[in-house]
């Protein structure tokens, strides 16, 4: 088992290993004196892991209650958030109690945002059960819900008090869901770690899960510690996301996040190559890595319409937009351009 400590405004430990779900109560007791824990999860994850987590919490003397909602991005909305508030209120959670987010990125974002705002903020624990959530969304304190105008447009920074990454939960993931995490892992290699990227492009991710999960989390730890509120270096984590989120929105979230990020990385590196901002080999490397996992790198869609959503992207600042580009594999950087120039620039990546 590996342990990583994140030194943010509220420091916390991340544990990465196996058989951690059955020890949830023990780990929670080390960081909280809560009387009650509200476990928030989706219907698929609940069928696998809810009883084990509740049993462990109860064994540690923590009263539990649980709220289960339908899985999928469509549940990361204000209506579902209001249901969570109602659940927390009816179960009389207090400021000294906590929320346990058990599931993938949607669960973590929704439960985390509820924790950030209920009673003006209560503690929460992240127990990510997908590859994507373990290496990305469960770490760093970003919480949010979507709006009809875009992804994650309403949210808050709220750091967890504990993160438990049980690698055994990845064994129940459908292959298509696992690929979502691969997309984010490739992103980490592209922006910060050429060795990680070289490992991933071989297609051997599953043979090195502990190493890959630990490396990705540690990269994010360093970036988040340097820029907790996403004002500078943390923007690197958005590589592929501006175009990726636009594609997600255009596809009405029927194509999952990691695949859309992969497409976004391919589009933006090809566009940058045509603009002389990176070598074309960077684009080819991204495509090679995506192909190693049978992931899409382009779609037959109307990008002219899809990319309109980029103008609502969180990375826009007045009439400018911050685009993440790659100097060379393992070295990403922030490139600022006029918002009006971004769409014509990105369209060069799909010609």
């Amino acid at each position: 088992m590996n342990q990583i400590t994140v030194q943010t405004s509220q420091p916390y430990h991340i544990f990465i290993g196996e058989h951690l779900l059955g020890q949830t109560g023990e780990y929670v007791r080390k960081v909280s004196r809560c009387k009650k824990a509200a476990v928030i999860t989706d219907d698929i994850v609940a069928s696998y892991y809810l009883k084990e987590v509740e049993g462990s919490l109860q064994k540690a003397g923590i009263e539990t209650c649980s709220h289960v909602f339908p899985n999928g991005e469509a549940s990361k909305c204000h209506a579902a958030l209001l249901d969570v508030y109602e659940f927390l209120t009816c179960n009389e959670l207090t400021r000294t109690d906590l929320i346990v987010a058990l599931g993938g990125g949607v669960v973590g974002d929704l439960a985390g945002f509820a924790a950030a705002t209920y009673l003006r903020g209560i503690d929460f624990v992240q127990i990510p059960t997908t590859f994507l959530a373990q290496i990305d969304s469960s770490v760093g304190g970003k919480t949010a819900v979507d709006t009809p105008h875009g992804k994650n447009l309403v949210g808050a920074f709220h750091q967890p008090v504990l993160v438990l990454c049980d690698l055994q939960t990845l064994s129940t993931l459908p292959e298509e869901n696992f690929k979502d995490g691969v997309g984010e892992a490739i992103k980490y290699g592209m922006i910060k770690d050429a060795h990680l990227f070289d490992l991933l492009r071989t297609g051997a991710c599953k043979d090195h899960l502990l190493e890959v999960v630990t490396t990705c989390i540690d990269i994010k730890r360093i970036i988040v510690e340097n820029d907790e509120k996403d004002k500078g270096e943390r923007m690197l984590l958005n590589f592929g996301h501006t175009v990726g989120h636009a594609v997600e929105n255009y596809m009405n979230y029927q194509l999952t996040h990691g695949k859309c990020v992969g497409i976004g990385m391919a589009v933006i590196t090809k566009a940058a190559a045509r603009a002389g901002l990176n070598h074309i080999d960077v684009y080819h490397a991204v495509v090679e890595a995506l192909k190693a996992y049978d992931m899409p790198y382009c779609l037959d869609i109307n990008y002219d319409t899809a990319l309109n959503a980029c103008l609502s992207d969180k990375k826009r600042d007045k009439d400018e937009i911050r685009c993440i580009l790659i100097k060379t594999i393992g070295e990403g950087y922030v490139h600022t351009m006029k918002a009006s120039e971004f769409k014509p620039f990105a369209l060069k990546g799909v010609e």
Side-chain angles (χ1 to χ4, degrees), residues 23-37 56-63 96-98 125 161-162 164:
Q23 303 175 60
T24 299
E26 299 172 38
Y27 281 104
V28 169
R29 266 290 168 248
K30 293 177 181 179
V31 298
S32 174
R33 294 186 297 170
C34 67
K35 177 182 177 182
K36 185 181 295 185
S56 179
L57 289 165
Q58 291 163 2
K59 187 177 179 181
I62 302 170
E63 181 183 346
T96 56
D97 294 322
L98 61 73
V125 172
V161 295
L162 170 70
L164 298 178

Side-chain angles (χ1 to χ4, degrees), residues 201-351:
R201 75 196 299 183
T202 66
C205 181
K206 285 189 175 181
D207 296 329
H208 303 273
L209 274 179
L210 181 60
E211 177 186 354
V212 171
V213 172
T214 302
T215 300
C216 290
I217 289 176
D218 203 43
I219 291 171
K220 187 162 189 180
R221 172 195 65 80
I222 294 168
I223 292 174
V224 168
E225 287 179 351
N226 292 338
D227 180 23
E228 184 173 354
K229 294 298 178 69
D230 205 7
K231 301 294 185 182
E233 183 181 0
R234 188 165 179 170
M235 294 178 191
L236 293 176
L237 297 170
N238 292 317
F239 174 54
H241 283 59
T242 299
V243 172
H245 283 168
V247 171
E248 269 188 282
N249 185 269
Y250 179 85
M251 298 293 291
N252 198 27
Y253 301 104
Q254 296 305 300
L255 189 64
T256 53
H257 177 71
K259 296 184 183 71
C260 291
V261 167
I263 292 167
M265 291 188 291
V267 168
I268 213 68
T269 51
K270 186 176 182 180
R274 291 186 167 179
L277 295 172
N278 64 237
H279 197 279
I280 192 64
D281 285 352
V282 174
Y283 163 72
H284 290 311
V286 170
V287 171
E288 179 186 350
L290 293 171
K291 283 184 173 181
Y293 301 91
D294 195 27
M295 292 177 65
Y297 61 92
C298 62
L299 287 179
D300 184 17
I301 62 172
N302 187 337
Y303 281 98
D304 188 67
T305 299
L307 291 173
N308 287 334
C310 293
L311 297 179
S312 299
D313 193 85
K314 301 184 301 301
K315 293 167 284 300
R316 182 176 176 181
D317 183 9
K318 296 180 181 178
D319 63 344
E320 294 182 334
I321 193 165
R322 295 177 291 273
C323 178
I324 310 307
L325 302 180
I326 305 297
K327 289 182 180 179
T328 186
I329 295 172
E331 186 179 357
Y333 70 101
V334 180
H335 179 77
T336 301
M337 65 177 69
K338 290 182 179 180
S340 60
E341 296 175 348
F342 181 79
K343 181 177 169 181
F345 168 78
L347 284 173
K348 293 179 181 178
V350 298
E351 293 173 352

Side-chain angles (χ1 to χ4, degrees), residues 65-244:
C65 54
S66 59
H67 176 75
V68 181
F69 62 84
N71 79 296
E73 188 74 26
S75 289
K76 205 172 84 174
C77 63
H78 282 86
L81 179 64
L82 291 176
D83 288 342
V84 174
Y85 290 147
E86 180 72 10
F87 158 73
L88 297 173
T89 303
C90 289
N91 283 277
E92 300 180 341
L93 260 77
T94 70
R95 287 179 174 174
T96 56
D97 294 322
L98 61 73
I99 288 173
V100 176
L102 173 66
V106 171
V107 172
D109 277 356
L110 180 64
F113 187 53
T117 49
Y118 178 72
L119 299 179
R120 296 192 177 92
I122 66 174
D123 287 348
F124 85 113
V125 172
Q126 287 271 24
I127 306 182
T129 59
T130 66
F131 185 30
L132 188 153
Q134 288 188 2
I135 67 173
D136 193 67
S137 60
S138 66
V139 180
K142 280 189 176 181
T143 70
V145 293
D146 303 335
T147 80
H149 296 285
K151 189 177 172 75
N152 299 331
L153 292 183
V154 179
F157 288 95
H158 190 56
Q159 300 292 347
V161 295
L162 170 70
V163 181
L164 298 178
C165 296
D166 191 330
L167 300 180
Q168 287 189 303
T169 63
L170 305 186
S171 66
T172 59
L173 274 185
E175 184 63 25
E176 292 306 302
N177 289 41
F178 184 81
K179 290 177 182 179
D180 277 337
V182 171
E184 291 286 356
I186 291 170
K187 174 199 75 177
Y188 280 111
M190 290 295 295
I191 64 171
K192 281 289 183 181
D193 193 320
H195 173 74
L196 172 65
F197 181 82
D198 287 341
L199 185 158
L200 292 169
R201 75 196 299 183
T202 66
C205 181
K206 285 189 175 181
D207 296 329
H208 303 273
L209 274 179
L210 181 60
E211 177 186 354
V212 171
V213 172
T214 302
T215 300
C216 290
I217 289 176
D218 203 43
I219 291 171
K220 187 162 189 180
R221 172 195 65 80
I222 294 168
I223 292 174
V224 168
E225 287 179 351
N226 292 338
D227 180 23
E228 184 173 354
K229 294 298 178 69
D230 205 7
K231 301 294 185 182
E233 183 181 0
R234 188 165 179 170
M235 294 178 191
L236 293 176
L237 297 170
N238 292 317
F239 174 54
H241 283 59
T242 299
V243 172

